[in-house]
């Protein structure tokens, strides 16, 4: 279904108000809960936890009596997931669900060869260590623990490089799509 045809989430309005009023508090809450679980910020970014919880609420189709309470329940689940991933040597990553509060512009589809070329150029712009972890984790499907063993580093370090690489790629690719 195209983005413009997708129905707006029934919880978008309530979430927009919560984000406007409480976003900083939600991030501080997630950071505090992650610290109490001994999950370092290098392994799980509190903002990613909050964003993933917001995505979960937006994706929920059934009516929610108390959106704020449900959001904090989703945050608790995400914190648990981040802690589990940290303890097994994998970093916590964004769910990358394409959920939007507002409709975005229609995007012209590009063929796979053009897209691969653009992605390869964006990857070439990354620092060497970030390119290496992206190759190992994304292309070869290794866990952070396996990639850390190959690179001779800690799993948390691999997670940091993956997180930074994804963030840099998003900025590059979003900037490129805006230019197109």
């Amino acid at each position: 279904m195209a983005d413009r045809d997708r129905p707006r989430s029934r919880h978008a309005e309530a979430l927009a108000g919560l984000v406007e009023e409480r976003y900083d508090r939600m991030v501080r809450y997630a950071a505090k809960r992650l610290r109490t679980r001994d999950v370092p910020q290098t392994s799980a970014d509190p903002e990613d936890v909050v964003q993933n919880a917001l995505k979960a609420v937006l994706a929920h189709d059934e009516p929610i009596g108390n959106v704020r309470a449900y959001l904090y329940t989703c945050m608790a689940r995400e914190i648990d997931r981040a802690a589990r991933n940290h303890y097994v040597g994998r970093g916590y990553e964004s769910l990358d669900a394409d959920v939007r509060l507002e409709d975005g512009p229609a995007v012209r589809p590009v063929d796979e060869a053009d897209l691969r070329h653009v992605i390869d150029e964006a990857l070439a712009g990354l620092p060497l260590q970030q390119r290496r972890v992206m190759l190992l984790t994304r292309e070869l499907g290794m866990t952070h623990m396996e990639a850390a063993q190959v690179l001779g580093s800690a799993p948390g370090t691999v997670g940091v490089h993956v997180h930074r690489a994804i963030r840099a790629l998003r900025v590059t690719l979003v900037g490129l799509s805006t230019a197109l």
Side-chain angles (χ1 to χ4, degrees), residues 27 29 31 37 64 108 130 176:
V27 171
Y29 171 80
R37 301 284 301 268
I64 299 172
R108 149 186 95 69
Q130 291 178 9
L176 184 62

Side-chain angles (χ1 to χ4, degrees), residues 152-165:
S153 64
T157 303
V158 170
V160 168
H161 286 304
V162 167
H163 180 77
R164 288 180 181 165

Side-chain angles (χ1 to χ4, degrees), residues 8 14 23 25 29 44 49 54 58 83 89 117 121 139 142 144:
R8 185 179 164 118
Y23 186 78
R25 284 185 263 183
Y29 171 80
V49 168
L54 290 168
L58 283 173
H117 177 71
E121 283 186 13
E139 296 291 325
M142 290 184 177
H144 289 193

